[in-house]
Structures are given as structure tokens and as C-alpha cells.
Amino acid sequence: MASIEDVAKKAKVSVTTVSRTLNDHPYVSDKTKKKIYKAMEDLNYYPNNVAQQLRGKGSKMIGVIISYITNPFFAYLVDAIETTALELGYHLVVMQTRGNQAMEKFYIEMVQKKQLDGIIITNLEDATKEVTALIEEGKIVLCNRFIGNEKLPVIHIDEAEASYKGTEYLIEQGHTNIAFCTGNVMNPQDHRFRGFLKALEDHQLAFNEEWFFPRTLGINGGKNFVQWLVEHPDDRPTAVFSNGDEVAAGMISEARKHQIRVPEDLAVLGFDDQPMAVLTSPEITTIRQPIQQMGEYATKVLIAKIEKKEIDWLEIPDLKTELIIRESV
């Protein structure tokens, strides 16, 4: 990353003049300021106003970008990240985007401005050149989900395999009309959706795109799905692959209100294996993720990169998923 010395050299001024410009000193002419700001833009330089960071000690703070803090999956993932960060001498800043890419950009700039030493991004859809550069510099680690086209390192489960196994289990239980719910939109790079489609294809089943439900989030998302079923009684799926246990719980709750029996009328498959999966009636058949191991490892990798240490010594966890069979399928 560029330094204040690099800016001074490119603008052909002294470091003192650059410093004065950053502090809006009245003795620097507008013409000189324009030269310095142009050099900063060309070098992608962001000033750092924290004295400790100016002394090269870093902030000892890392961030984690999540989409929705209300999603229990992210709550457990953040807990694992923070626990590990504290053990390694770092504090954690939790940053929620609510799916807003402008907020994601704002948080990433905190690394560029050296307000944070690094960031873990838990759900990335688009890898900008800034993100890619920071990954290469060891300032960003991707964890959990990335559905872009680029080949980037991501600490994650094999989502395609997990969804394939879950979908195949639904098929083995006699279901041929299966809906798919996701928190995203339809994306060919979505590995969960690809695994789902592959399982259908391998069993010579077609997928009805009317049964693809995007932006289905949380308990209310699950309830909305069941309300759609009620409004379409003549041609509706008999099973659903939900994108989380919260969504599945919402489905089960709403189904009961409309005398839709689970699993007899509608089989519901969850994802994550959150504690709520055993609190519903019927209990949720789901795909268990190793959430804690994923968070711990992502944190260790990021901090090792920040401290310019080799990561070869880190024990790579076995991030295997497991189909947990209960009562909803």
C-alpha cells in the first residue's frame, strides 16, 4: 500500500507539505493541494489519522462484514471469530450491510484508511478490484460464501456437495416436486443452487423455475413461502430446500395455521443446524455446518497475514457438513 512518502514523491513536494495538506494548513496553496490530492487518488492512498497506526503498530482491530446480524448463523460465526480474535490480542468490529453494497464498500474503505488492520467478509457477491487487491495484500479473508466468477480463496464448506446430499434425501423420500429458497437471487455461481440442480438432473427430474424463491430470509420469509403455497393450491411443490433453519421454522409455524401437515403435505429441509432446529414441532431435518471451526480458522488466517506470518503451520479444519435427519422430512 502507498505511503505518505510515496505521495510526496509523486506530487514533487515534501512530506511536511503533504502532512500540512491533510490537516488543511492555510500555508499550502490551492494549486499544491490539488497536486497532492491527485497524487493520493492515483496511488489509492488513504490518510491514517490514528497516532498509534502512524507509528506502525497497527490498530489491533479487525472487522467482520455480515449481511444480517439477526440471522443466528452469523451470530454464532461472529462469536467464534471474536473469541479467537481476543485470544490472539485483537478486538473485533461487527459491521452489518443488510444487503447494501454501498455499506459494504464503506466498511472495506476502513481497511484502506488503516482504521482496521483487516476484515473477514462472510457473504460476498461481487469482488471489486479493491477487494481483490486487499485479498492479495492479506488484508481481507473471505469466509462462508462467495458467488462471483473470480477464483478467489474462500474458507467455506462444499456447498454444492451439501445441497446435493440434502436434495437427494428429499428425492429418496419420494419427492419429485421440490422448491428452492435462497437469500440471494438466481445466480449460476451459487454453489448451493448448483448442487440442488445437479441432484435433480442426476435423478432425471426437471426444475420448475416458478418454484425458485429469491430473497427468502428469516422466519417471515418462511411464512411468506407457505402463504404462496396456500394461494397456489393446484400446482405446488411437496418439498422445499430452505436456505436456513430460521426460514424452515417460519414455514413449519405458518403451515400449521393453514392445516398443511409437515412432512406429509410439505417436507421441509433446513440448513445450518441451529439450536432452534430441535425446538420446532416437528423438529427440523437440516444440514449441519461446522460454524465454529470456520470462524476460528478464518480469524487465525487473517491475523497471520496481518502479522506477515506463514500460515502453513495452521491446522486446516475439516469443514465437512452432515445431514441431520429429524422429523420435517
Side-chain angles (χ1 to χ4, degrees):
M1 297 176 72
S3 66
I4 192 171
E5 289 83 4
D6 297 326
V7 174
K9 182 177 179 180
K10 187 171 182 63
K12 297 180 181 179
V13 298
S14 68
V15 171
T16 301
T17 301
V18 175
S19 179
R20 285 176 174 172
T21 298
L22 296 177
N23 288 286
D24 202 26
H25 199 286
Y27 294 149
V28 182
S29 70
D30 288 339
K31 182 179 179 181
T32 300
K33 286 181 179 178
K34 287 181 180 178
K35 280 203 309 180
I36 291 170
Y37 288 138
K38 180 64 168 60
M40 290 169 58
E41 182 179 353
D42 291 344
L43 294 170
N44 200 29
Y45 172 77
Y46 291 83
N48 174 13
N49 297 319
V50 182
Q52 182 186 41
Q53 297 166 347
L54 288 173
R55 293 194 295 270
K57 294 183 178 179
S59 67
K60 285 291 183 179
M61 295 179 68
I62 62 173
V64 56
I65 297 179
I66 61 175
S67 51
Y68 291 95
I69 190 63
T70 51
N71 184 333
F73 168 83
F74 289 116
Y76 291 113
L77 184 63
V78 166
D79 181 68
I81 291 171
E82 182 174 46
T83 300
T84 308
L86 289 172
E87 289 173 354
L88 296 175
Y90 285 73
H91 290 282
L92 182 70
V93 178
V94 181
M95 298 172 288
Q96 177 180 220
T97 67
R98 298 180 185 273
N100 186 329
Q101 289 192 334
M103 290 299 298
E104 181 177 84
K105 182 176 183 294
F106 173 78
Y107 294 140
I108 290 168
E109 287 178 355
M110 294 179 72
V111 177
Q112 295 172 311
K113 295 175 181 178
K114 302 178 185 176
Q115 295 168 337
L116 294 171
D117 292 335
I119 286 179
I120 296 170
I121 301 180
T122 63
N123 193 2
L124 184 66
E125 293 187 25
D126 180 33
T128 63
K129 62 180 182 180
E130 290 81 10
V131 169
T132 302
L134 288 169
I135 290 173
E136 292 174 355
E137 292 174 25
K139 301 295 185 182
I140 285 180
V141 166
L142 302 183
C143 171
N144 182 41
R145 301 204 80 196
F146 171 57
I147 56 176
N149 294 312
E150 300 83 354
K151 292 190 178 298
L152 298 175
V154 186
I155 297 168
H156 64 140
I157 63 168
D158 188 333
E159 291 191 294
E161 179 187 54
S163 63
Y164 184 99
K165 289 181 177 178
T167 306
E168 189 170 57
Y169 181 68
L170 291 174
I171 296 169
E172 289 170 350
Q173 302 311 301
H175 297 283
T176 57
N177 299 328
I178 307 172
F180 185 89
C181 294
T182 177
N184 302 302
V185 295
M186 189 176 289
N187 186 327
Q189 300 303 318
D190 185 336
H191 296 290
R192 289 191 194 182
F193 188 46
R194 288 169 66 176
F196 170 81
L197 291 178
K198 185 68 167 60
L200 294 183
E201 179 186 343
D202 287 352
H203 289 81
Q204 292 80 49
L205 296 175
F207 177 58
N208 184 345
E209 290 195 4
E210 291 185 4
W211 296 342
F212 181 94
F213 295 84
R215 304 296 185 194
T216 304
L217 297 166
I219 290 173
N220 285 334
K223 289 183 175 183
N224 290 338
F225 168 80
V226 172
Q227 289 166 9
W228 182 92
L229 293 184
V230 172
E231 294 167 2
H232 299 78
D234 296 329
D235 182 26
R236 66 189 192 191
T238 62
V240 55
F241 184 114
S242 70
N243 67 306
D245 293 334
E246 253 201 323
V247 176
M251 292 176 180
I252 291 171
S253 173
E254 190 69 15
R256 188 179 300 111
K257 296 177 184 178
H258 296 281
Q259 288 76 51
I260 297 174
R261 300 169 301 164
V262 177
E264 292 85 355
D265 302 323
L266 178 69
V268 178
L269 177 69
F271 209 102
D272 296 336
D273 194 30
Q274 298 165 8
M276 72 171 63
V278 296
L279 299 179
T280 60
S281 180
E283 295 181 0
I284 299 171
T285 294
T286 186
I287 298 166
R288 177 180 293 163
Q289 286 205 72
I291 301 173
Q292 182 171 335
Q293 295 95 316
M294 192 159 34
E296 289 174 352
Y297 185 64
T299 310
K300 290 176 181 178
V301 169
L302 177 62
I303 292 175
K305 288 177 178 286
I306 290 169
E307 297 180 349
K308 308 296 183 185
K309 295 178 179 177
E310 296 291 332
I311 62 173
D312 295 346
W313 62 271
L314 290 176
E315 182 179 352
I316 301 175
D318 185 12
L319 299 178
K320 294 290 186 183
T321 59
E322 182 182 358
L323 179 62
I324 306 300
I325 299 172
R326 295 195 178 99
E327 302 166 344
S328 65
V329 174

